[in-house]
Amino acid sequence: MEAGRPVATFPTLCDHLSRFDGRTASSLRVVGMALRDAGLMSVGNFGRGATHVSAEDAAALVMAGLWTDQPCASARAVELLSSLKHRPAPKAEWSPRHLFLISEFPTFGEALAALIEYGPLIRRQLEGFRLEVTVQRPVPVATMRLRDSLNRQRVLREWIVDSTKLMDGFYRPEMAQQVDRQHATTVTGATLFSLGDLIHPQAERVSA
């Protein structure tokens, strides 16, 4: 690790994400504690002796923020979004190599963690494009798209409800809220790639 770079502990992650998220670091710590208590984050001690966070931990915190601002609803948010399965789609005409591989991850939770993990590599391949990840609610759908300098967009992948879980009633609370008005929240590559830099600073120097 380079001299002067912060160790990516959970408090450092919250401080870093708050610059992009708009919520305070203390608010994000409360969300993290709710996720930890639900077994959805691997981190243990949040204070002195805090352990290094993973891309999966960062993805959980991002997913919670994409769905809700309420700590009490954060665990359900991560369970929902992590479960989404990618919708079969024709191969895109063009997609950066690493981004295409990540779009093939079967669940949204895995894909989002990989976007953070390999963000420094993907960023090099996106010159002239902006990566966006959007979550729609109340019925959960996640979309990954690229937007060019003329604001033209190309959808790379969608993740939708898991049909098996749907039949088992897993999404019943959200399905019961179906209304014509939909809500969507978007996070861009600026956030995801910055988290990758924080967690794996050496990855910036790895050749793609």
Side-chain angles (χ1 to χ4, degrees):
M1 181 174 295
E2 293 181 24
R5 280 192 181 270
V7 176
T9 61
F10 184 74
T12 303
L13 173 64
C14 292
D15 290 340
H16 189 85
L17 184 56
S18 68
R19 303 171 197 167
F20 298 89
D21 183 89
R23 288 175 290 175
T24 65
S26 59
S27 296
L28 291 171
R29 290 190 186 101
V30 174
V31 172
M33 286 188 283
L35 295 179
R36 180 191 62 180
D37 293 345
L40 296 171
M41 291 191 76
S42 65
V43 293
N45 189 353
F46 286 0
R48 184 179 297 276
T51 55
H52 193 281
V53 294
S54 66
E56 289 76 15
D57 294 325
L61 201 58
V62 170
M63 282 189 283
L66 282 169
W67 188 262
T68 182
D69 288 330
Q70 302 300 319
C72 62
S74 295
R76 176 61 176 171
V78 174
E79 291 173 346
L80 275 175
L81 298 182
S82 295
S83 74
L84 299 182
K85 293 291 188 73
H86 70 59
R87 185 201 302 267
K91 184 177 179 180
E93 295 180 6
W94 173 86
S95 179
R97 179 165 58 94
H98 290 91
L99 198 55
F100 171 75
L101 294 174
I102 285 169
S103 73
E104 293 299 297
F105 276 80
T107 68
F108 179 62
E110 292 172 294
L112 190 64
L115 278 174
I116 294 171
E117 182 89 21
Y118 300 105
L121 298 177
I122 297 167
R123 179 171 48 205
R124 298 182 194 173
Q125 302 174 4
L126 293 184
E127 186 173 354
F129 292 89
R130 182 177 68 183
L131 177 69
E132 297 179 345
V133 175
T134 300
V135 164
Q136 180 179 299
R137 62 188 190 280
V139 178
V141 177
T143 306
M144 181 171 67
R145 61 171 57 86
L146 285 178
R147 195 178 296 274
D148 67 17
S149 58
L150 297 177
N151 207 35
R152 295 173 298 191
Q153 64 177 357
R154 182 190 311 139
V155 173
L156 300 178
R157 177 64 74 185
E158 283 188 332
W159 290 266
I160 58 176
V161 296
D162 181 332
S163 58
T164 300
K165 288 181 177 292
L166 177 64
M167 295 299 293
D168 290 341
F170 179 75
Y171 304 103
R172 187 173 293 116
E174 289 70 35
M175 292 296 182
Q177 300 176 43
Q178 285 195 68
V179 291
D180 191 51
R181 186 177 66 172
Q182 304 292 308
H183 302 271
T185 306
T186 297
V187 64
T188 73
T191 296
L192 303 176
F193 301 159
S194 181
L195 290 172
D197 291 339
L198 178 71
I199 293 170
H200 295 299
Q202 70 279 8
E204 297 174 273
R205 304 190 299 275
V206 175
S207 174

